[in-house]
Amino acid sequence: MNWTEALIWSAGRSLILAIIGTVIANGLQTWLRGLSGAKKKRAWGGLLLPFFVPSLMTGYCYRDTAMSLIHFPWAKEILYGLIVMMQAVPVAVIILEFSSSPATSATALYSGGLMKLASTERWKLFLTSRFQYSLAAFCLLFVLSFQEADLAALMQASGWTEWMFTKHVGGLALQETISLTLWPILIQIPFLVPIVLWLGKAGDRNFNIIERSTLSQPGRDWFCTAWLSLAIAIVVIVPGSQLIRGIFIGFGSLFLQPSTFRELSDALLIAGTTTVGTLGLAVACRFFLIQNGSSAGRWLLFCLLIPGSMGNLALGLMLAGIFQTEPFQIAYDTPVPLVLGEILAILPRTLILLHCLSRMNFPASEYLVEMLKSSPDVRQRDQAIELAWQTQGRIRFITVAIVGFWAYFEVMLPSILAMPGLAPVGLVLYNNLHYGRIAALGAKLALAFMFPFLIALGVLQLRKLWSRLLLN
């Protein structure tokens, strides 16, 4: 497969996955809105769980499976496409669920269809209806599947990312590599426009609108439950069981690898630096570019999102070329290119995350916190701290934890931009996984997976202890 064929194959596959994924996401969103209470929380948890499974975990599980299907390339492509779609569909559901009420309701759209309006007016109504959010979800699904590189390289799935990664590792000249990556960047740019427009939308969601579904209620419930069960089984349970098996078999080998804890600390240091930079830039974008609603702000936001939306492989190659030129060469053998690359790569996801979590703020609770803080009673001021955690602190902690999780498990950018001597554990695992799945890698991956969770758990326990000391 040459470069042109790889590019066409990736675009065609991404279009198919985006179309199917958008239909599934619309059905899931309608189904979720019909649930309530604990059942709704469990459904949301099951939906989001596959999205947070890192490519290292799925790659560890399905690397050997993909190699065994070398004589059945269509089966390997179906498996790869299914995993990618199962991990991307939750993001599309989030886009649909956390959208503002459309300017044109379904009733107004139907009434407009009965009237003899000009074609341009009908399109304006159509583009201001709920269709704009389905379009944003479709575009996001296309971008996510088109630029996916980590799992594609491990499973050797056909496409431009696998072709480019193989040629880059094989010694293709950097300047030629960069010139080739311009084509996938140009393909993705039109798909970014609806996403930027979605981010710039202001207003409150209407929780009362339940969209009609083409499936009957029992059929919709069965389909959505089956989809969630299949996604959890393929993306979470099967890789998780392989990981647990690797722990029992290869745990002893961890003590024979003295570099493991240095690799964990390198990953944690890069993740912490990236998290601070990403959140700072994302908050600045929301305050200066999104909330003012100006056209200039949206265009600037569009330009900021382009580097992170071109895909980590293309972004890494671009930054490698830039930092090898004369003005920036002084920083090439430093962590600057890697940290900058991870900030730009995670920025689009972080903006979507902040946009969604901002809808979970409750002004009345925040006002109560401010009143308690100004109370002359010391106990009420202490209670304000606990209430502030419940209303604001918990959301901020979740935000920091998710962004840090993304930065911690980033593997493609470190493989291109990491300076000599810097070896994050994700990079070491990713490089070794290309040679096959062994138990020692499973034990090391499990340790790397548990490490950030143990840190987060420790922070939560310290917070609980601090609250008890204040309230006693």
Side-chain angles (χ1 to χ4, degrees):
M1 182 177 288
N2 59 34
W3 170 244
T4 304
E5 292 172 343
L7 205 57
I8 294 173
W9 179 268
S10 293
R13 179 178 60 203
S14 300
L15 283 173
I16 293 172
L17 294 180
I19 292 171
I20 298 174
T22 304
V23 174
I24 294 174
N26 274 280
L28 286 170
Q29 190 245 357
T30 305
W31 175 66
L32 286 167
R33 285 198 170 190
L35 303 178
S36 60
K39 188 175 181 181
K40 185 170 186 176
K41 291 180 180 179
R42 288 195 299 268
W44 268 107
L47 174 70
L48 295 175
L49 195 58
F51 172 68
F52 288 106
V53 175
S55 57
L56 281 174
M57 189 168 167
T58 51
Y60 173 79
C61 175
Y62 292 109
R63 162 75 178 178
D64 289 353
T65 304
M67 295 302 99
S68 67
L69 296 174
I70 190 170
H71 298 295
F72 305 94
W74 56 270
K76 181 176 66 175
E77 290 296 324
I78 291 175
L79 177 62
Y80 169 75
L82 194 60
I83 295 171
V84 170
M85 186 167 62
M86 286 176 169
Q87 292 194 280
V89 161
V91 190
V93 177
I94 289 173
I95 292 289
L96 296 171
E97 178 66 13
F98 289 89
S99 298
S100 309
S101 299
T104 303
S105 65
T107 304
L109 190 63
Y110 177 75
S111 300
L114 297 177
M115 301 170 63
K116 294 182 179 180
L117 298 175
S119 299
T120 54
E121 294 299 324
R122 289 184 181 181
W123 273 107
K124 285 181 181 179
L125 286 175
F126 194 57
L127 293 175
T128 55
S129 67
R130 192 175 181 273
F131 171 78
Q132 63 185 310
Y133 304 134
S134 294
L135 180 62
F138 167 81
C139 291
L140 189 60
L141 285 171
F142 177 88
V143 170
L144 289 175
S145 57
F146 184 75
Q147 64 181 224
E148 202 287 318
D150 303 344
L151 188 61
L154 288 174
M155 294 183 65
Q156 294 188 1
S158 301
W160 77 269
T161 54
E162 192 275 335
W163 190 95
M164 182 67 70
F165 183 81
T166 303
K167 295 297 181 182
H168 175 70
V169 173
L172 185 66
L174 183 61
Q175 295 302 322
E176 185 178 353
T177 303
I178 293 174
S179 64
L180 290 175
T181 56
L182 291 175
W183 288 106
I185 293 171
L186 291 174
I187 290 174
Q188 292 179 84
I189 285 178
F191 292 89
L192 298 180
V193 176
I195 302 172
V196 173
L197 292 176
W198 180 84
L199 283 171
K201 288 288 181 182
D204 297 325
R205 289 184 298 140
N206 190 335
F207 291 92
N208 298 318
I209 296 178
I210 306 294
E211 299 291 337
R212 294 180 180 178
S213 175
T214 54
L215 294 174
S216 63
Q217 184 71 28
R220 187 178 67 222
D221 290 347
W222 179 89
F223 174 81
C224 293
T225 304
W227 173 263
L228 292 186
S229 302
L230 188 63
I232 292 173
I234 293 177
V235 182
V236 182
I237 295 178
V238 175
S241 62
Q242 294 288 344
L243 206 59
I244 293 172
R245 181 173 177 270
I247 294 174
F248 287 109
I249 297 176
F251 183 76
S253 64
L254 289 175
F255 300 99
L256 303 177
Q257 304 177 52
S259 62
T260 298
F261 293 99
R262 181 180 61 82
E263 294 163 2
L264 289 170
S265 61
D266 284 350
L268 190 63
L269 182 62
I270 293 297
T273 308
T274 300
T275 301
V276 173
T278 305
L279 287 174
L281 182 57
V283 170
C285 286
R286 281 188 59 81
F287 184 78
F288 293 106
L289 304 181
I290 296 178
Q291 292 182 356
N292 61 16
S294 65
S295 299
R298 289 181 181 178
W299 275 109
L300 184 55
L301 178 66
F302 180 77
C303 295
L304 280 173
L305 291 181
I306 287 178
S309 302
M310 67 175 63
N312 292 0
L313 176 59
L315 175 62
L317 294 172
M318 287 288 184
L319 287 176
I322 291 172
F323 279 95
Q324 288 185 32
T325 57
E326 189 60 35
F328 306 100
Q329 197 169 10
I330 190 173
Y332 183 69
D333 289 329
T334 70
V336 172
L338 176 58
V339 172
L340 177 61
E342 292 201 8
I343 289 173
L344 293 175
I346 299 174
L347 179 62
R349 284 175 279 175
T350 305
L351 284 172
I352 294 175
L353 177 66
L354 291 177
H355 181 86
C356 296
L357 292 179
S358 66
R359 305 293 179 122
M360 300 173 65
N361 291 329
F362 300 98
S365 300
E366 295 175 3
Y367 179 69
L368 179 59
V369 170
E370 294 301 323
M371 289 182 64
L372 288 174
K373 284 182 179 179
S374 60
S375 172
D377 188 344
V378 176
R379 188 170 182 82
Q380 286 187 347
R381 291 199 299 268
D382 292 341
Q383 289 175 343
I385 297 175
E386 180 64 23
L387 184 59
W389 164 258
Q390 299 293 335
T391 57
Q392 303 170 8
R394 183 182 296 173
I395 294 176
R396 292 171 183 170
F397 177 79
I398 292 173
T399 304
V400 173
I402 291 176
V403 176
F405 184 81
W406 287 333
Y408 180 81
F409 278 106
E410 173 57 40
V411 292
M412 186 56 68
L413 288 171
S415 69
I416 300 173
L417 299 173
M419 70 178 190
L422 184 67
V425 67
L427 171 61
V428 176
L429 287 167
Y430 187 69
N431 289 337
N432 291 330
L433 278 175
H434 284 86
Y435 300 101
R437 183 181 67 203
I438 58 176
L441 285 179
K444 194 170 186 177
L445 177 57
L447 178 62
F449 198 74
M450 291 185 294
F451 191 61
F453 285 99
L454 292 175
I455 293 176
L457 185 62
V459 172
L460 289 175
Q461 291 301 321
L462 287 174
R463 189 211 66 81
K464 287 182 179 179
L465 179 62
W466 176 254
S467 296
R468 288 174 184 173
L469 290 174
L470 286 176
L471 295 176
N472 289 336

